[in-house]
Structures are given as C-alpha cells and as structure tokens.
Amino acid sequence: MAAFRRWKEQRLARADESRKGSVDEAIAGLVQLLNGQERFCTTSSCAGRLLLAQAPAPGFSGYEVQKKNCSWLMVTHQICAKEDVMTALQKATGDTVFKFEPFILHVQCQELQDAQLLHSVAIDSGFRNSGITVGRRGKIMMAVRSTHCLEVPLSHMGKLMVTEEYVDFLVQIANRKMEENMKRIDRFYNCLQLALKTELSMSNSPHEMIQKTHSVYTHRRKRKPDKEPGMCTSSDNKEESETEDDPETN
C-alpha cells in the first residue's frame, strides 16, 4: 500500500504529456473523484473527440492514419458543424480521415478487486469494451472503453473524395455519437459515486460485499437493460476485450 501511494504521488506530480496538456473539462470531476481514492490513479484519459486527421506524407493510405504519425486539421471535444469540417478540409494536402473517438480512461488500481469494482461500473454504464490487465510485475490496469467509434476517409492527396452533403451526413452521425458518449460519461460518474458509497456502507459486512462483487461477474446476463440516462444499466451488446499495456493519452 505504501509503495502504491508513493508511486501515485510521483505519477500525479508529473506534467501532463498529452497534446492538450490538461484533463478534458467534461471528465475533470470524474478524474478528481478517482484520484481522491487511495486505491486508484488515472494514467490517461480523453472525454471523446471529433477530429480530422491527416497522414504525414504520401504513401500513407487514409485508412492508415495513425495517431503518432498524423497532424490534426480539426479537433473538438464537443459537437461540431459541417462548416467546421469543410473549413479544415481546405487545409488538407494529403489523405484525411474524419473520426469520432469515444471516451477512454486508464486507471491503475492498487488491488485486483479495485479494478473489478471499476469494471463493473463501466459495464453497467455502457462501456462494454472495458477490460482489466495484470502485468508481469503485478501492475493492475483498468481501461474504460466503448465501441461506438466512427472513422471515414474524406480526401486523398488533398482532393475531397465525397460530396459536401455526405460530409453533413457524417457530422450529424458523429454528433449523435458524441451526445451518447456524454450521457455514458455522466452515467459512469453517477454509478461510480453510488458504488463507492455502497461499498463504504457495507465495509462492516465483508462477506456480503464479496457476494455482491461476485454476482456482478456470474449473473451479468440476467440484468434487465434500462435506457434511462442516469441509471447504472445499459442495453448495449456485451463486448469485452483486454486493455492496452501502453494507454493512449489526450
């Protein structure tokens, strides 16, 4: 515990190395809530974004625009307008891709049961692609992720390959995804608060707490989905995968 506490203090004291250089406003409260708990430490996060990315040079297909090799002609963590995308496309000289990337959060956890608690909250909140990894040295990482992404090539060698009407269509779809993304973030925050309060109130009944945690993993299929934005359930299809060892940043 002492070792984790020291590591956490050092980690949180480091400068933010993301492109933006700070936590996104939409998830600042969530990050603060997690880091306020001794057993959790956030290592990277993004509230979700709409962006127009351009490959670095000829030879990179629009389908292969990678984060570390591209430039961003436009990026926003809110909904956008067709005009925003069209204006950014005027600066394109290579292959561009319009993307919606949903909320992602990586948290290092002190114990496995701490990661399991977060995983349960994430699944209940609609982040069905969330997962836990345990490194060779015992490093426990929990990633909160979902699958409602969008990635569409728009131009090749600076030439727009679709109509303006189609760009408008894509922007509408991306904006709906962003709105749903924000609802899931709110749901995750509310569910996490509830889970922490419930755990605290059950701290004097460890057996009951163990039974509750176990039931989340063995009886998940029996849940009845609830589409209410503030509720801790989701109607998304069940889909889980392991997290990356090197989490991405803003």
Side-chain angles (χ1 to χ4, degrees), residues 182-195:
M182 291 304 173
K183 290 179 181 178
R184 293 186 188 188
I185 292 174
D186 288 342
R187 191 156 58 229
F188 181 72
Y189 180 79
N190 292 333
C191 289
L192 179 59
Q193 283 187 313
L194 178 60

Side-chain angles (χ1 to χ4, degrees), residues 80-177:
C80 69
K82 177 199 69 176
E83 290 74 20
D84 299 326
V85 180
M86 296 304 298
T87 298
L89 282 167
Q90 293 176 7
K91 299 178 287 185
T93 57
D95 297 351
T96 63
V97 174
F98 179 62
K99 295 183 177 185
F100 163 70
E101 298 178 342
F103 168 66
I104 186 168
L105 174 69
H106 291 90
V107 185
Q108 185 163 347
C109 305
Q110 185 169 280
E111 303 289 346
L112 182 59
Q113 58 264 32
D114 302 327
Q116 290 173 335
L117 173 66
L118 283 186
H119 185 260
S120 299
V121 172
I123 296 298
D124 284 343
S125 303
F127 296 104
R128 294 288 184 175
N129 202 32
S130 299
I132 301 170
T133 56
V134 180
R136 289 187 294 272
R137 298 181 180 179
K139 179 181 179 182
I140 303 169
M141 293 296 302
M142 164 61 196
V144 182
R145 302 181 301 197
S146 62
T147 58
H148 65 302
C149 305
L150 178 69
E151 182 171 343
V152 183
L154 294 185
S155 69
H156 177 60
M157 299 298 292
K159 179 183 177 181
L160 185 62
M161 305 301 291
V162 300
T163 65
E164 185 172 339
E165 181 181 10
Y166 185 68
V167 173
D168 186 36
F169 172 69
L170 287 177
V171 169
Q172 291 181 45
I173 293 176
N175 283 341
R176 288 197 292 271
K177 287 179 176 290

Side-chain angles (χ1 to χ4, degrees), residues 2-37:
F4 183 85
R5 189 181 306 114
R6 287 194 299 270
W7 176 89
K8 178 177 177 179
E9 291 174 353
Q10 295 172 359
R11 175 76 191 194
L12 296 180
R14 287 165 50 183
D16 191 319
E17 298 177 356
S18 66
R19 290 196 185 194
K20 184 179 178 183
S22 63
V23 175
D24 296 334
E25 183 179 354
I27 57 173
L30 173 59
V31 170
Q32 183 177 13
L33 175 62
L34 284 166
N35 288 329
Q37 303 288 316

Side-chain angles (χ1 to χ4, degrees), residues 122-130 145-148 180 184 187 220-221 223 225 227 233-241:
I123 296 298
D124 284 343
S125 303
F127 296 104
R128 294 288 184 175
N129 202 32
S130 299
R145 302 181 301 197
S146 62
T147 58
H148 65 302
E180 173 60 25
R184 293 186 188 188
R187 191 156 58 229
R220 184 176 294 142
R221 291 184 180 179
R223 286 201 195 98
K227 297 183 180 179
T233 56
S234 170
S235 59
D236 287 8
N237 293 328
K238 180 180 179 183
E239 186 175 353
E240 300 174 15
S241 69

